[in-house]
Amino acid sequence: GIVEGSAIRSGSSRGGNVGVVVRGMTILNYKNGIVLQWFSGDRDWIITDNVIKGIFSSKVWEKQGEGVELARSAGGHTVAFNKISHMAD
C-alpha cells in the first residue's frame, strides 16, 4: 500500500505490513513518529520525503522519542530525505 501526502495527528496500526510506501506525509505531536514492529512482521517499507515533528519542548533534555524507529522491525526498509525535529534522534 501507499500512504502519501496526508497529515497524521492521531493513529496506529496493528503491524504485519509488507511493502508499504510512506511518502510526503506530515506527522505532528507524537512521542514516536513511525514505529515498525518485528514481532508482527513489518518489513520492506519505503519511508521518504516526510515531515515528522515530535512534541515541542524548549528544553533540550526533555526531547524524547524517535522520528523513525526500525530497531524492532523485520528489516529491508529504505528511509531517506525525511525532515525530523523535536525528537531525540
Side-chain angles (χ1 to χ4, degrees):
I2 297 174
V3 180
E4 183 170 15
S6 296
I8 296 177
R9 295 181 191 275
S10 176
S12 66
S13 171
R14 292 180 177 221
N17 301 292
V18 177
V20 174
V21 177
V22 179
R23 178 176 52 223
M25 300 290 294
T26 300
I27 301 171
L28 303 171
N29 297 320
Y30 280 86
K31 180 178 176 185
N32 295 298
I34 298 172
V35 179
L36 306 182
Q37 304 290 328
W38 67 268
F39 53 83
S40 59
D42 288 337
R43 67 183 199 293
D44 301 326
W45 284 42
I46 298 171
I47 302 168
T48 184
D49 302 309
N50 300 291
V51 175
I52 303 170
K53 274 189 174 178
I55 300 167
F56 178 76
S57 174
S58 61
K59 300 174 183 170
V60 173
W61 60 89
E62 289 184 355
K63 291 189 183 357
Q64 56 185 326
E66 303 292 329
V68 179
E69 174 61 73
L70 304 174
R72 294 175 281 198
S73 69
H77 309 295
T78 300
V79 179
F81 308 112
N82 298 288
K83 294 179 183 176
I84 301 172
S85 62
H86 306 301
M87 300 284 200
D89 65 349

